[in-house]
Amino acid sequence: MAVVAAVLMLSGCGGGSKAQGREVGAGEHTDDISSGVEVDAGAAALVPADVKEEGVLLVAMDLTSPPSEFLASDNKTPIGFNPDMARLIAKKLGLELKMENVKFDTIIPGLEGGRYDLTVSSMAVTEDRMKVLDMIDYVSNGSSIAVGDGNPDGLTPDTLCGRSIGVQSGSVQEIERLPLLSAETCDAKGKPAIKGVSLPSVQDALTQVASGRIDGVFYDTTSLSWADKQQPGTFEVLTPQVNSNDNAVALGKGSALTPAVQAALQSIIDSPIYADALERWGFDGLGIDEATMSVAEEE
């Protein structure tokens, strides 16, 4: 069935590519991108003594959002741009990486409670998040609307009043961007509000779009574009995207590990391996030059 195929194809394969004279991640890119990458002595020197003694970097991710973060076809290997970045951060710091697959809306409470060291999960920067998190920019992204193929109702981001739009629970689209879009394009004009439908993952939302149960999904442009390419003739990503922003690696507020992670990220950005990671997941053109402490985007 088309709906089942759409979900299955979201965890499908990309093409191989060559970088730095080697084959990188043919197929699903299950190779360890950090293999051969050297520890950054300066960044490693900033690792707190207790973390260095334990020797482990615990990173939380919701592995349901290709190509940013998902599971390979073996249903156990984390792959995508964010797992690649997590592997590189750990290697630069001289630590062993442990990734925990958790629901996105549990990540921030987990960071606040000290259950995880950090997250690399395409987290957009907001004022509320910065109150409880240290956030360090590492890549650009944005939010878009995807609808059924051919856009039979002729929808645009400005004509969604009264429509049902899926959002991932805990995402910036659910918390800030859909309410703002509804307020600006519908409420202010006396039209019915956009009906946000909170779902566990973008795959759940896309499945409901494909089956006609909801009118669209509001999520990261990179993930929606990936879904469109993996399952031609099922979705259409509306243009232009609704907004753009930098995504951030996040740690608990005031974490002693923050300076080390920032230094590791800058070391990655300054090396050819950063372009390698971007290219093999279709993030070409989304790289940034500096791993700066985040500033919330103005809507």
Side-chain angles (χ1 to χ4, degrees):
M1 295 178 61
V3 174
V4 176
V7 176
L8 291 177
M9 288 298 288
L10 284 174
S11 58
C13 306
S17 62
K18 287 195 179 284
Q20 298 178 314
R22 63 184 176 87
E23 185 74 16
V24 289
E28 288 190 321
H29 305 307
T30 55
D31 62 311
D32 184 354
I33 194 171
S34 71
S35 178
V37 172
E38 296 184 355
V39 174
D40 185 290
L46 298 173
V47 175
D50 58 337
V51 178
K52 189 173 295 185
E53 182 177 354
E54 188 172 349
V56 175
L57 187 69
L58 183 56
V59 179
M61 292 187 194
D62 183 343
L63 295 168
T64 61
S65 300
S68 297
E69 55 208 21
F70 60 119
L71 292 174
S73 55
D74 63 6
N75 205 35
K76 63 180 182 181
T77 304
I79 59 175
F81 179 70
N82 290 329
D84 275 359
M85 290 297 291
R87 292 179 178 105
L88 291 168
I89 292 169
K91 178 61 74 74
K92 289 288 187 179
L93 297 178
L95 299 172
E96 177 187 345
L97 175 65
K98 182 177 181 182
M99 283 187 267
E100 291 281 346
N101 186 11
V102 300
K103 291 295 183 184
F104 186 81
D105 57 8
T106 70
I107 291 177
I108 293 177
L111 291 171
E112 290 184 275
R115 291 195 296 276
Y116 318 116
D117 293 316
L118 58 92
T119 186
V120 190
S121 53
S122 300
M123 188 173 284
V125 181
T126 70
E127 292 287 356
D128 284 342
R129 286 174 175 172
M130 290 199 302
K131 291 175 183 177
V132 296
L133 300 174
D134 286 346
M135 306 190 79
I136 310 163
D137 296 343
Y138 73 107
V139 72
S140 294
N141 206 337
S143 300
S144 291
I145 304 286
V147 298
D149 185 55
N151 191 11
D153 294 329
L155 298 176
T156 73
D158 295 326
T159 60
L160 299 176
C161 304
R163 299 287 183 161
S164 56
I165 302 297
V167 286
Q168 183 184 42
S169 179
S171 68
V172 71
Q173 290 85 9
E174 178 197 44
I175 296 168
E176 287 194 0
R177 291 185 179 155
L178 189 65
L180 180 63
L181 183 64
S182 182
E184 291 179 343
T185 62
C186 305
D187 303 353
K189 300 176 181 178
K191 298 180 180 180
I194 302 171
K195 302 172 186 176
V197 180
S198 297
L199 295 162
S201 73
V202 65
Q203 296 192 31
D204 294 310
L206 287 169
T207 298
Q208 293 206 20
V209 171
S211 64
R213 294 171 65 186
I214 60 177
D215 297 305
V217 56
F218 191 19
Y219 198 61
D220 295 348
T221 302
T222 48
S223 289
L224 296 180
S225 298
W226 174 276
D228 184 33
K229 291 176 183 177
Q230 294 296 311
Q231 186 68 10
T234 305
F235 311 110
E236 181 171 325
V237 182
L238 302 183
T239 56
Q241 67 179 7
V242 178
N243 48 32
S244 60
N245 59 268
D246 284 347
N247 287 159
V249 170
L251 305 88
K253 191 70 175 178
S255 171
L257 190 58
T258 297
V261 173
Q262 184 176 13
L265 280 169
Q266 190 62 57
S267 181
I268 294 164
I269 290 170
D270 289 341
S271 74
I273 203 70
Y274 182 55
D276 185 351
L278 291 164
E279 187 272 338
R280 71 184 194 157
W281 297 107
F283 282 42
D284 308 68
L286 299 181
I288 62 174
D289 295 326
E290 294 186 59
T292 55
M293 295 299 293
S294 305
V295 176
E297 299 285 336
E298 293 186 6
E299 297 292 349

